[in-house]
mmCIF file with all atom_site columns, all heavy atoms in Angstrom:
data_model
loop_
_atom_site.group_PDB
_atom_site.id
_atom_site.type_symbol
_atom_site.label_atom_id
_atom_site.label_alt_id
_atom_site.label_comp_id
_atom_site.label_asym_id
_atom_site.label_entity_id
_atom_site.label_seq_id
_atom_site.pdbx_PDB_ins_code
_atom_site.Cartn_x
_atom_site.Cartn_y
_atom_site.Cartn_z
_atom_site.occupancy
_atom_site.B_iso_or_equiv
_atom_site.pdbx_formal_charge
_atom_site.auth_seq_id
_atom_site.auth_comp_id
_atom_site.auth_asym_id
_atom_site.auth_atom_id
_atom_site.pdbx_PDB_model_num
ATOM   1   N  N   . ASN A 1 63  ? 12.020 -13.655 59.826 1.00 98.00 ? 179 ASN A N   1
ATOM   2   C  CA  . ASN A 1 63  ? 12.780 -12.527 59.563 1.00 98.00 ? 179 ASN A CA  1
ATOM   3   C  C   . ASN A 1 63  ? 12.078 -11.188 60.029 1.00 98.00 ? 179 ASN A C   1
ATOM   4   O  O   . ASN A 1 63  ? 10.899 -11.091 60.008 1.00 98.00 ? 179 ASN A O   1
ATOM   5   C  CB  . ASN A 1 63  ? 13.132 -12.354 58.078 1.00 98.00 ? 179 ASN A CB  1
ATOM   6   C  CG  . ASN A 1 63  ? 13.961 -13.461 57.577 1.00 98.00 ? 179 ASN A CG  1
ATOM   7   O  OD1 . ASN A 1 63  ? 13.623 -14.636 57.734 1.00 98.00 ? 179 ASN A OD1 1
ATOM   8   N  ND2 . ASN A 1 63  ? 15.135 -13.191 56.994 1.00 98.00 ? 179 ASN A ND2 1
ATOM   9   N  N   . MET A 1 75  ? 17.783 -5.823  56.910 1.00 98.00 ? 191 MET A N   1
ATOM   10  C  CA  . MET A 1 75  ? 17.271 -6.955  57.603 1.00 98.00 ? 191 MET A CA  1
ATOM   11  C  C   . MET A 1 75  ? 17.885 -6.852  58.988 1.00 98.00 ? 191 MET A C   1
ATOM   12  O  O   . MET A 1 75  ? 19.126 -6.825  59.160 1.00 98.00 ? 191 MET A O   1
ATOM   13  C  CB  . MET A 1 75  ? 17.710 -8.248  56.912 1.00 98.00 ? 191 MET A CB  1
ATOM   14  C  CG  . MET A 1 75  ? 16.946 -9.513  57.401 1.00 98.00 ? 191 MET A CG  1
ATOM   15  S  SD  . MET A 1 75  ? 15.326 -9.620  56.729 1.00 98.00 ? 191 MET A SD  1
ATOM   16  C  CE  . MET A 1 75  ? 15.713 -10.394 55.114 1.00 98.00 ? 191 MET A CE  1
ATOM   17  N  N   . ALA A 1 78  ? 16.984 -12.347 61.776 1.00 97.00 ? 194 ALA A N   1
ATOM   18  C  CA  . ALA A 1 78  ? 16.728 -13.475 60.945 1.00 97.00 ? 194 ALA A CA  1
ATOM   19  C  C   . ALA A 1 78  ? 17.184 -14.722 61.729 1.00 97.00 ? 194 ALA A C   1
ATOM   20  O  O   . ALA A 1 78  ? 18.138 -14.661 62.485 1.00 97.00 ? 194 ALA A O   1
ATOM   21  C  CB  . ALA A 1 78  ? 17.514 -13.431 59.689 1.00 97.00 ? 194 ALA A CB  1
ATOM   22  N  N   . ASP A 1 79  ? 16.458 -15.816 61.552 1.00 97.00 ? 195 ASP A N   1
ATOM   23  C  CA  . ASP A 1 79  ? 16.835 -17.058 62.237 1.00 97.00 ? 195 ASP A CA  1
ATOM   24  C  C   . ASP A 1 79  ? 17.607 -18.021 61.382 1.00 97.00 ? 195 ASP A C   1
ATOM   25  O  O   . ASP A 1 79  ? 17.834 -19.177 61.706 1.00 97.00 ? 195 ASP A O   1
ATOM   26  C  CB  . ASP A 1 79  ? 15.575 -17.732 62.806 1.00 97.00 ? 195 ASP A CB  1
ATOM   27  C  CG  . ASP A 1 79  ? 14.731 -18.340 61.754 1.00 97.00 ? 195 ASP A CG  1
ATOM   28  O  OD1 . ASP A 1 79  ? 15.002 -18.150 60.567 1.00 97.00 ? 195 ASP A OD1 1
ATOM   29  O  OD2 . ASP A 1 79  ? 13.791 -19.072 62.088 1.00 97.00 ? 195 ASP A OD2 1
ATOM   30  N  N   . CYS A 1 80  ? 18.034 -17.528 60.163 1.00 97.00 ? 196 CYS A N   1
ATOM   31  C  CA  . CYS A 1 80  ? 18.824 -18.402 59.301 1.00 97.00 ? 196 CYS A CA  1
ATOM   32  C  C   . CYS A 1 80  ? 20.236 -18.601 59.860 1.00 97.00 ? 196 CYS A C   1
ATOM   33  O  O   . CYS A 1 80  ? 20.684 -17.782 60.640 1.00 97.00 ? 196 CYS A O   1
ATOM   34  C  CB  . CYS A 1 80  ? 18.938 -17.778 57.874 1.00 97.00 ? 196 CYS A CB  1
ATOM   35  S  SG  . CYS A 1 80  ? 19.529 -16.041 57.909 1.00 97.00 ? 196 CYS A SG  1
ATOM   36  N  N   . PRO A 1 81  ? 20.839 -19.739 59.486 1.00 96.00 ? 197 PRO A N   1
ATOM   37  C  CA  . PRO A 1 81  ? 22.115 -20.017 60.131 1.00 96.00 ? 197 PRO A CA  1
ATOM   38  C  C   . PRO A 1 81  ? 23.257 -19.108 59.734 1.00 96.00 ? 197 PRO A C   1
ATOM   39  O  O   . PRO A 1 81  ? 24.145 -18.794 60.621 1.00 96.00 ? 197 PRO A O   1
ATOM   40  C  CB  . PRO A 1 81  ? 22.424 -21.473 59.709 1.00 96.00 ? 197 PRO A CB  1
ATOM   41  C  CG  . PRO A 1 81  ? 21.502 -21.709 58.581 1.00 96.00 ? 197 PRO A CG  1
ATOM   42  C  CD  . PRO A 1 81  ? 20.358 -20.840 58.694 1.00 96.00 ? 197 PRO A CD  1
ATOM   43  N  N   . ASP A 1 82  ? 23.254 -18.595 58.523 1.00 94.00 ? 198 ASP A N   1
ATOM   44  C  CA  . ASP A 1 82  ? 24.398 -17.826 58.019 1.00 94.00 ? 198 ASP A CA  1
ATOM   45  C  C   . ASP A 1 82  ? 24.311 -16.306 58.308 1.00 94.00 ? 198 ASP A C   1
ATOM   46  O  O   . ASP A 1 82  ? 25.195 -15.587 58.376 1.00 94.00 ? 198 ASP A O   1
ATOM   47  C  CB  . ASP A 1 82  ? 24.594 -18.018 56.593 1.00 94.00 ? 198 ASP A CB  1
ATOM   48  C  CG  . ASP A 1 82  ? 23.380 -17.767 55.705 1.00 94.00 ? 198 ASP A CG  1
ATOM   49  O  OD1 . ASP A 1 82  ? 22.466 -17.090 56.173 1.00 94.00 ? 198 ASP A OD1 1
ATOM   50  O  OD2 . ASP A 1 82  ? 23.352 -18.345 54.509 1.00 94.00 ? 198 ASP A OD2 1
ATOM   51  N  N   . HIS A 1 83  ? 23.058 -15.829 58.533 1.00 96.00 ? 199 HIS A N   1
ATOM   52  C  CA  . HIS A 1 83  ? 22.836 -14.403 58.759 1.00 96.00 ? 199 HIS A CA  1
ATOM   53  C  C   . HIS A 1 83  ? 23.403 -13.484 57.677 1.00 96.00 ? 199 HIS A C   1
ATOM   54  O  O   . HIS A 1 83  ? 23.703 -12.303 57.858 1.00 96.00 ? 199 HIS A O   1
ATOM   55  C  CB  . HIS A 1 83  ? 23.383 -13.940 60.097 1.00 96.00 ? 199 HIS A CB  1
ATOM   56  C  CG  . HIS A 1 83  ? 22.461 -14.318 61.245 1.00 96.00 ? 199 HIS A CG  1
ATOM   57  N  ND1 . HIS A 1 83  ? 22.464 -15.468 61.872 1.00 96.00 ? 199 HIS A ND1 1
ATOM   58  C  CD2 . HIS A 1 83  ? 21.420 -13.553 61.749 1.00 96.00 ? 199 HIS A CD2 1
ATOM   59  C  CE1 . HIS A 1 83  ? 21.537 -15.450 62.809 1.00 96.00 ? 199 HIS A CE1 1
ATOM   60  N  NE2 . HIS A 1 83  ? 20.829 -14.364 62.781 1.00 96.00 ? 199 HIS A NE2 1
ATOM   61  N  N   . LEU A 1 84  ? 23.522 -14.029 56.423 1.00 96.00 ? 200 LEU A N   1
ATOM   62  C  CA  . LEU A 1 84  ? 24.059 -13.267 55.327 1.00 96.00 ? 200 LEU A CA  1
ATOM   63  C  C   . LEU A 1 84  ? 23.163 -12.079 55.057 1.00 96.00 ? 200 LEU A C   1
ATOM   64  O  O   . LEU A 1 84  ? 23.575 -10.974 54.633 1.00 96.00 ? 200 LEU A O   1
ATOM   65  C  CB  . LEU A 1 84  ? 24.247 -14.128 54.127 1.00 96.00 ? 200 LEU A CB  1
ATOM   66  C  CG  . LEU A 1 84  ? 25.437 -15.044 54.036 1.00 96.00 ? 200 LEU A CG  1
ATOM   67  C  CD1 . LEU A 1 84  ? 25.496 -15.910 52.792 1.00 96.00 ? 200 LEU A CD1 1
ATOM   68  C  CD2 . LEU A 1 84  ? 26.714 -14.199 54.130 1.00 96.00 ? 200 LEU A CD2 1
ATOM   69  N  N   . CYS A 1 85  ? 21.836 -12.315 55.210 1.00 97.00 ? 201 CYS A N   1
ATOM   70  C  CA  . CYS A 1 85  ? 20.903 -11.245 54.840 1.00 97.00 ? 201 CYS A CA  1
ATOM   71  C  C   . CYS A 1 85  ? 21.073 -10.024 55.773 1.00 97.00 ? 201 CYS A C   1
ATOM   72  O  O   . CYS A 1 85  ? 21.008 -8.892  55.353 1.00 97.00 ? 201 CYS A O   1
ATOM   73  C  CB  . CYS A 1 85  ? 19.452 -11.780 54.908 1.00 97.00 ? 201 CYS A CB  1
ATOM   74  S  SG  . CYS A 1 85  ? 19.094 -12.672 56.401 1.00 97.00 ? 201 CYS A SG  1
ATOM   75  N  N   . VAL A 1 86  ? 21.305 -10.294 57.014 1.00 97.00 ? 202 VAL A N   1
ATOM   76  C  CA  . VAL A 1 86  ? 21.598 -9.230  57.967 1.00 97.00 ? 202 VAL A CA  1
ATOM   77  C  C   . VAL A 1 86  ? 22.911 -8.546  57.670 1.00 97.00 ? 202 VAL A C   1
ATOM   78  O  O   . VAL A 1 86  ? 23.002 -7.280  57.735 1.00 97.00 ? 202 VAL A O   1
ATOM   79  C  CB  . VAL A 1 86  ? 21.594 -9.809  59.438 1.00 97.00 ? 202 VAL A CB  1
ATOM   80  C  CG1 . VAL A 1 86  ? 21.856 -8.674  60.410 1.00 97.00 ? 202 VAL A CG1 1
ATOM   81  C  CG2 . VAL A 1 86  ? 20.262 -10.483 59.741 1.00 97.00 ? 202 VAL A CG2 1
ATOM   82  N  N   . VAL A 1 99  ? 18.578 -10.705 50.033 1.00 97.00 ? 215 VAL A N   1
ATOM   83  C  CA  . VAL A 1 99  ? 17.981 -12.044 49.929 1.00 97.00 ? 215 VAL A CA  1
ATOM   84  C  C   . VAL A 1 99  ? 18.413 -12.831 51.112 1.00 97.00 ? 215 VAL A C   1
ATOM   85  O  O   . VAL A 1 99  ? 19.616 -12.879 51.499 1.00 97.00 ? 215 VAL A O   1
ATOM   86  C  CB  . VAL A 1 99  ? 18.476 -12.725 48.628 1.00 97.00 ? 215 VAL A CB  1
ATOM   87  C  CG1 . VAL A 1 99  ? 17.912 -14.153 48.450 1.00 97.00 ? 215 VAL A CG1 1
ATOM   88  C  CG2 . VAL A 1 99  ? 18.175 -11.881 47.431 1.00 97.00 ? 215 VAL A CG2 1
ATOM   89  N  N   . CYS A 1 100 ? 17.467 -13.532 51.711 1.00 97.00 ? 216 CYS A N   1
ATOM   90  C  CA  . CYS A 1 100 ? 17.732 -14.517 52.728 1.00 97.00 ? 216 CYS A CA  1
ATOM   91  C  C   . CYS A 1 100 ? 17.471 -15.911 52.110 1.00 97.00 ? 216 CYS A C   1
ATOM   92  O  O   . CYS A 1 100 ? 16.295 -16.345 52.048 1.00 97.00 ? 216 CYS A O   1
ATOM   93  C  CB  . CYS A 1 100 ? 16.836 -14.307 54.015 1.00 97.00 ? 216 CYS A CB  1
ATOM   94  S  SG  . CYS A 1 100 ? 17.191 -15.506 55.242 1.00 97.00 ? 216 CYS A SG  1
ATOM   95  N  N   . LEU A 1 101 ? 18.529 -16.540 51.615 1.00 96.00 ? 217 LEU A N   1
ATOM   96  C  CA  . LEU A 1 101 ? 18.330 -17.749 50.940 1.00 96.00 ? 217 LEU A CA  1
ATOM   97  C  C   . LEU A 1 101 ? 17.717 -18.916 51.786 1.00 96.00 ? 217 LEU A C   1
ATOM   98  O  O   . LEU A 1 101 ? 16.734 -19.555 51.317 1.00 96.00 ? 217 LEU A O   1
ATOM   99  C  CB  . LEU A 1 101 ? 19.651 -18.240 50.298 1.00 96.00 ? 217 LEU A CB  1
ATOM   100 C  CG  . LEU A 1 101 ? 20.049 -17.712 48.968 1.00 96.00 ? 217 LEU A CG  1
ATOM   101 C  CD1 . LEU A 1 101 ? 21.347 -18.376 48.501 1.00 96.00 ? 217 LEU A CD1 1
ATOM   102 C  CD2 . LEU A 1 101 ? 18.943 -18.091 47.893 1.00 96.00 ? 217 LEU A CD2 1
ATOM   103 N  N   . PRO A 1 102 ? 18.193 -19.178 52.974 1.00 96.00 ? 218 PRO A N   1
ATOM   104 C  CA  . PRO A 1 102 ? 17.573 -20.319 53.688 1.00 96.00 ? 218 PRO A CA  1
ATOM   105 C  C   . PRO A 1 102 ? 16.081 -20.089 54.008 1.00 96.00 ? 218 PRO A C   1
ATOM   106 O  O   . PRO A 1 102 ? 15.324 -21.086 53.928 1.00 96.00 ? 218 PRO A O   1
ATOM   107 C  CB  . PRO A 1 102 ? 18.386 -20.287 55.062 1.00 96.00 ? 218 PRO A CB  1
ATOM   108 C  CG  . PRO A 1 102 ? 19.639 -19.542 54.739 1.00 96.00 ? 218 PRO A CG  1
ATOM   109 C  CD  . PRO A 1 102 ? 19.308 -18.540 53.658 1.00 96.00 ? 218 PRO A CD  1
ATOM   110 N  N   . ASN A 1 103 ? 15.678 -18.856 54.154 1.00 97.00 ? 219 ASN A N   1
ATOM   111 C  CA  . ASN A 1 103 ? 14.257 -18.664 54.455 1.00 97.00 ? 219 ASN A CA  1
ATOM   112 C  C   . ASN A 1 103 ? 13.467 -18.236 53.239 1.00 97.00 ? 219 ASN A C   1
ATOM   113 O  O   . ASN A 1 103 ? 12.247 -17.983 53.315 1.00 97.00 ? 219 ASN A O   1
ATOM   114 C  CB  . ASN A 1 103 ? 14.038 -17.566 55.558 1.00 97.00 ? 219 ASN A CB  1
ATOM   115 C  CG  . ASN A 1 103 ? 14.636 -18.085 56.878 1.00 97.00 ? 219 ASN A CG  1
ATOM   116 O  OD1 . ASN A 1 103 ? 14.829 -19.214 57.108 1.00 97.00 ? 219 ASN A OD1 1
ATOM   117 N  ND2 . ASN A 1 103 ? 14.978 -17.102 57.715 1.00 97.00 ? 219 ASN A ND2 1
HETATM 118 ZN ZN1 . LIG B 2 .   ? 19.078 -14.852 56.204 1.00 75.28 ? 35  LIG B ZN1 1
#
Side-chain angles (χ1 to χ4, degrees):
N179 296 57
M191 194 78 85
D195 71 352
C196 55
D198 53 20
H199 278 89
L200 280 177
C201 49
V202 178
V215 181
C216 180
L217 272 181
N219 294 339

